[in-house]
Amino acid sequence: MNGVKKISLGLQGGGAYGAFGWGALDCLLADGRLQIDGIGAASAGAINAVVLADGYARGGGPQGARRKLRAFWNALGQSAMMGPMRPTPFDWFSGRGSIESSPGYLLLQLASAGMAPGVMNPLNINPLGTLLASLVDFERVRACEELKLFISGTNVRTGKGHNFRRDELTVDHVMASACVPQVFAPVHIDGEAY
């Protein structure tokens, strides 16, 4: 690996920033001069991190990670096209095709202002968690020794951050990191809410 530089990454959250992060990761993984040694991530960045690790550990190295990230984001985009948050056809034709004009989004904003997540989503249904669990082999992620991986979450009781290590990660750890408190109830891990 002469001439290859090891790097560590910090991947931020923020919903749509995850798609931007995918693009940046795709470029870094394609650059043969770089080797990702470690990743610290939160929220949408945590999702990218475990998808990358799964693709990497599947035996594909950087190219496998790129394929897995592409597959995840394409699947997410396909599911969003049929979801309740999509803009109306009128919004698309008028050039206002953003989520802010979606009736589902506006209803969610109104409801989340006055209701607790447990009331608004009593069954705690999370399609993102279901998609992630179906596409990522967390056993493979935990065994991926080529990458150091840390996913951060916030302990609800203490308000302090907590880093989950690669060797303990499950879909619950990632969903705890990506939990939107106005929409989803906290995720419980080892008796603590995150």
Side-chain angles (χ1 to χ4, degrees):
M1 297 189 96
N2 197 10
V4 174
K5 181 177 181 178
K6 286 187 177 187
I7 60 171
S8 293
L9 302 173
L11 304 179
Q12 74 178 37
Y17 288 120
F20 174 82
W22 163 40
L25 287 169
D26 191 59
C27 289
L28 292 172
L29 289 163
D31 188 326
R33 299 170 297 165
L34 302 173
Q35 178 188 351
I36 299 173
D37 184 50
I39 302 173
S43 194
I47 292 168
N48 276 335
V50 297
V51 172
L52 182 154
D54 184 36
Y56 200 96
R58 203 174 280 263
Q63 295 310 312
R66 292 179 72 204
R67 284 190 299 273
K68 191 69 175 190
L69 283 161
R70 184 179 310 109
F72 172 80
W73 282 99
N74 284 334
L76 183 61
Q78 290 292 323
S79 66
M81 288 180 69
M82 296 299 130
M85 298 297 187
R86 69 183 183 277
T88 66
F90 175 76
D91 293 322
W92 282 109
F93 290 124
S94 66
R96 298 180 332 184
S98 71
I99 193 170
E100 286 83 16
S101 60
S102 157
Y105 177 77
L106 295 172
L107 183 61
L108 179 65
Q109 289 292 94
L110 180 64
S112 68
M115 284 191 254
V119 173
M120 199 167 79
N121 185 1
L123 299 177
N124 203 24
I125 296 169
N126 189 335
L128 179 59
T130 303
L131 178 66
L132 191 62
S134 72
L135 293 177
V136 173
D137 181 339
F138 279 88
E139 188 173 319
R140 189 179 357 258
V141 169
R142 289 189 297 273
C144 181
E145 295 182 1
E146 295 90 350
L147 298 171
K148 297 177 190 91
L149 187 57
F150 302 94
I151 303 300
S152 64
T154 302
N155 184 302
V156 173
R157 182 179 53 78
T158 65
K160 293 182 179 180
H162 180 81
N163 283 321
F164 301 106
R165 295 176 324 277
R166 184 204 73 243
D167 61 354
E168 65 184 320
L169 293 178
T170 66
V171 70
D172 285 342
H173 293 92
V174 180
M175 290 297 89
S177 180
C179 184
V180 178
Q182 296 86 350
V183 181
F184 297 105
V187 178
H188 289 84
I189 299 169
D190 297 330
E192 292 284 351
Y194 292 90

